[in-house]
Amino acid sequence: MSLSVVILAAGKGTRMKSQVPKVLHKLAHKPLLEHVYDTAIQLGAEQVVVVYGHGGEDVKEACAHFKADWVEQEEQLGTGHAVMQALPVLNLDNEILVLYGDVPLTSVNTLSNLLNLNNDELSLLTVILDEPTGYGRIIRNESGKVISIVEQKDANQDQLAICEVNTGILSCNGHKLQRLLNQIDNNNSQSEYYLTDIFKLAAGQGIPINTSNTENKYEVEGINDRLQLAKLERIHQKNIAEKLMQSGVSIADPSRLDIRGDVEIENDVFIDVNVILQGKVKLGSGTIIGANSIISDSDIAANVKIKPNCIIENVTVHSNCEIGPFARLRPETILSEGAKVGNFVEVKKSNIGKGSKINHLSYIGDTEMGEDVNVGAGTITCNYDGANKHKTIIGDKVFIGSDTQLVAPVIIAEGATIGAGATITKDVEADKLVISRAPQKSINGWKRPEKNK
Ligand code: UD1
Ligand code: CA
């Protein structure tokens, strides 16, 4: 049977004390709501319906890339009321799964287990908590069948002692769900339409109720404040790190690695402490990431050595390159096999050819560099004239002396040698030596000034 997922996301999130709607707060750099949406997609949902709150246009806008139906719940009259808002757009021939926009870490595995319980009845995910205060309690009869859920505020002493609680996550045949929701009212201590009331109704009408359970409490934990957000972030990061280690990646300290995106990391990669990987990052086998490095949206091949304190963004690095320490590689840079970019070097939108070296204190921007080029310390491509960017082209085997400025647009043909301290404003022919510096003079009889007494 096909699946429709309803994500409840109308909550205000007062306790976040934020201008930003709660479900747009980020875990691993991704909005909470998007975690839940991605889970729905991974479950193969044919339809996703997001119920958002009054004034929640920000949410819709931030998640405009979702393939989802958006339904506004103008007033928050309860979880049952929220699901009712989705009924007119839901494909009721489907099985309906209810998820929550502020519960980001429910696994596909746990939800598949729930969905596999039945296809046509009512199923509920429960969890056993040592400290159940605040949650709806699961009431079962002598034969263990669920007969109702009682909210904290409506429960008596005996019911409050029950530790099996409602996670809120349930699935039901669409038509049955509609019929049950049409029968609920708001005669309770909070004057809300409780989604949980459908269980008592179902039990009374002989609709079987199945439950499944999860051992991982974090999977059903909702986020109400920033402390809970930070707690779930750490759990999520630990889970990712453990998976990577199991797949053959070495991590110096799993509690000091943050992964905020989709990574593909091959085996025998070593990641030192305080590393952040953001967006889409690929790391090839045997590559080493030094401490305090931040890598985003980059493809790093095998056996690359990234020394500590590098910032690398939107870059392609071929195998056997060496980078850093303290290097900054900016977008659209490509390092070919075996290239070296050393300390305090910035490279932007440039192709660095095989085996070429820029080892110290340089800026290379908008440059096409051939193979086996040696760039001396303190070399600067002057790519910007104040209005436009210009290209520097450097041929194979060029040698650039230290403290050189290459004023773009300029071409240094292959095999040329630039003497140290040059300011190159005209194209340089192949294999020539070019110097541009004031001749050295010695002044006879010169005396250093002395302080007046
Ligand atoms: C609900 C359950 C409770 C369960 C608990 C798990 C009901 C009546 N109670 O209680 O049994 O143990 O969740 O956390 O369902 N929401 C809307 N619109 C509304 C009301 C809520 O979208 O009108 C959304 C909220 O944004 C939130 C979720 O539904 O994501 C749960 O709402 P909340 O008010 O926190 O329910 P609880 O009282 O905690
Ligand atoms: Ca809650």
Side-chain angles (χ1 to χ4, degrees):
M1 193 187 278
S2 298
L3 178 68
S4 288
V5 175
V6 181
I7 305 176
L8 302 190
K12 275 211 191 73
T14 322
R15 279 178 278 164
M16 296 302 281
K17 306 221 166 96
S18 176
Q19 312 279 62
V20 178
K22 174 161 77 172
V23 292
L24 291 186
H25 279 262
K26 288 178 177 174
L27 187 138
H29 211 62
K30 182 160 88 175
L32 298 177
L33 181 58
E34 195 165 342
H35 282 272
V36 183
Y37 173 79
D38 287 349
T39 304
I41 297 301
Q42 283 172 49
L43 283 167
E46 179 204 82
Q47 180 186 33
V48 178
V49 181
V50 184
V51 180
Y52 68 103
H54 183 56
E57 297 300 325
D58 293 354
V59 178
K60 237 172 121 170
E61 216 168 276
C63 302
H65 59 288
F66 287 12
K67 287 192 188 72
D69 296 312
W70 293 84
V71 176
E72 184 175 336
Q73 184 193 22
E74 280 195 30
E75 263 187 295
Q76 277 194 61
L77 303 178
T79 48
H81 181 260
V83 178
M84 279 185 231
Q85 307 311 300
L87 288 174
V89 303
L90 271 174
N91 182 351
L92 296 178
D93 293 331
N94 284 352
E95 181 167 20
I96 314 291
L97 173 68
V98 178
L99 299 177
Y100 297 81
D102 56 359
V103 181
L105 297 186
T106 324
S107 70
V108 168
N109 186 43
T110 293
L111 293 171
S112 301
N113 288 343
L114 177 75
L115 294 169
N116 286 338
L117 285 177
N118 72 56
N119 278 318
D120 211 27
E121 294 159 355
L122 183 54
S123 300
L124 176 67
L125 183 66
T126 73
V127 66
I128 309 231
L129 299 180
D130 299 332
E131 188 31 86
T133 307
Y135 289 88
R137 308 299 204 280
I138 309 296
I139 314 297
R140 294 178 182 267
N141 65 14
E142 313 77 61
S143 48
K145 293 271 170 223
V146 174
I147 50 170
S148 68
I149 297 175
V150 178
E151 291 306 298
Q152 170 87 22
K153 287 180 179 150
D154 303 294
N156 63 34
Q157 272 325 105
D158 289 346
Q159 291 167 332
L160 288 176
I162 296 170
C163 290
E164 187 187 13
V165 303
N166 174 29
T167 63
I169 295 169
L170 60 86
S171 77
C172 189
N173 163 283
H175 295 285
K176 282 198 181 114
L177 182 65
Q178 180 181 43
R179 241 177 286 131
L180 290 166
L181 281 173
N182 284 338
Q183 298 167 57
I184 65 174
D185 58 37
N186 63 352
N187 295 328
N188 51 56
S189 64
Q190 304 184 80
S191 300
E192 280 185 10
Y193 293 90
Y194 290 166
L195 178 58
T196 43
D197 279 356
I198 65 172
F199 289 90
K200 190 175 179 178
L201 290 164
Q205 292 162 31
I207 298 171
I209 300 169
N210 308 288
T211 59
S212 73
N213 194 275
T214 175
E215 302 269 283
N216 300 327
K217 296 180 178 64
Y218 66 82
E219 286 199 36
V220 296
E221 252 175 71
I223 289 172
N224 294 308
D225 59 32
R226 296 182 198 242
L227 279 77
Q228 290 167 323
L229 180 61
K231 180 185 159 202
L232 286 196
E233 174 81 39
R234 288 337 307 162
I235 291 171
H236 180 62
Q237 292 299 341
K238 181 169 158 268
N239 289 345
I240 300 175
E242 282 176 6
K243 261 197 206 132
L244 287 172
M245 291 187 287
Q246 275 154 359
S247 73
V249 175
S250 285
I251 297 173
D253 180 355
S255 69
R256 284 186 286 170
L257 166 65
D258 279 68
I259 294 188
R260 303 170 183 168
D262 301 317
V263 296
E264 264 177 60
I265 306 183
E266 292 180 357
N267 66 343
D268 295 321
V269 163
F270 174 78
I271 303 178
D272 213 330
V273 299
N274 295 334
V275 167
I276 299 175
L277 303 178
Q278 214 152 266
K280 277 202 181 343
V281 174
K282 279 193 194 172
L283 303 177
S285 182
T287 281
I288 294 172
I289 312 293
N292 309 318
S293 292
I294 303 178
I295 302 175
S296 33
D297 296 307
S298 292
D299 192 340
I300 317 274
N303 299 314
V304 172
K305 270 204 189 77
I306 299 177
K307 293 172 189 168
N309 298 294
C310 291
I311 310 288
I312 297 174
E313 183 189 355
N314 194 3
V315 164
T316 303
V317 177
H318 292 274
S319 55
N320 299 308
C321 286
E322 283 185 33
I323 301 168
F326 296 98
R328 178 164 183 220
L329 301 185
R330 291 172 52 199
E332 296 180 61
T333 291
I334 299 171
L335 303 190
S336 301
E337 157 97 33
K340 286 190 184 169
V341 173
N343 36 213
F344 306 105
V345 172
E346 173 180 348
V347 183
K348 187 214 87 174
K349 203 174 183 178
S350 295
N351 277 321
I352 308 301
K354 272 190 196 166
S356 288
K357 296 176 194 160
I358 315 159
N359 276 335
H360 329 269
L361 299 148
S362 291
Y363 171 64
I364 302 295
D366 303 303
T367 297
E368 289 292 331
M369 189 183 294
E371 299 181 6
D372 297 320
V373 170
N374 189 76
V375 177
T379 296
I380 294 169
T381 54
C382 308
N383 60 330
Y384 186 50
D385 58 14
N388 295 299
K389 300 277 167 67
H390 301 283
K391 283 197 103 165
T392 300
I393 295 170
I394 301 172
D396 294 347
K397 296 190 168 59
V398 163
F399 180 97
I400 299 174
S402 296
D403 191 26
T404 291
Q405 298 93 53
L406 304 171
V407 181
V410 70
I411 299 171
I412 319 290
E414 78 172 67
T417 301
I418 313 285
T423 300
I424 301 298
T425 52
K426 290 180 238 153
D427 290 353
V428 173
E429 288 169 51
D431 302 316
K432 289 277 168 60
L433 166 67
V434 174
I435 43 176
S436 94
R437 59 172 81 131
Q440 186 167 322
K441 281 192 248 175
S442 292
I443 314 291
N444 290 327
W446 179 80
K447 277 214 169 70
R448 242 190 234 182
E450 281 174 14
K451 263 196 179 144
N452 296 331
K453 295 247 159 80

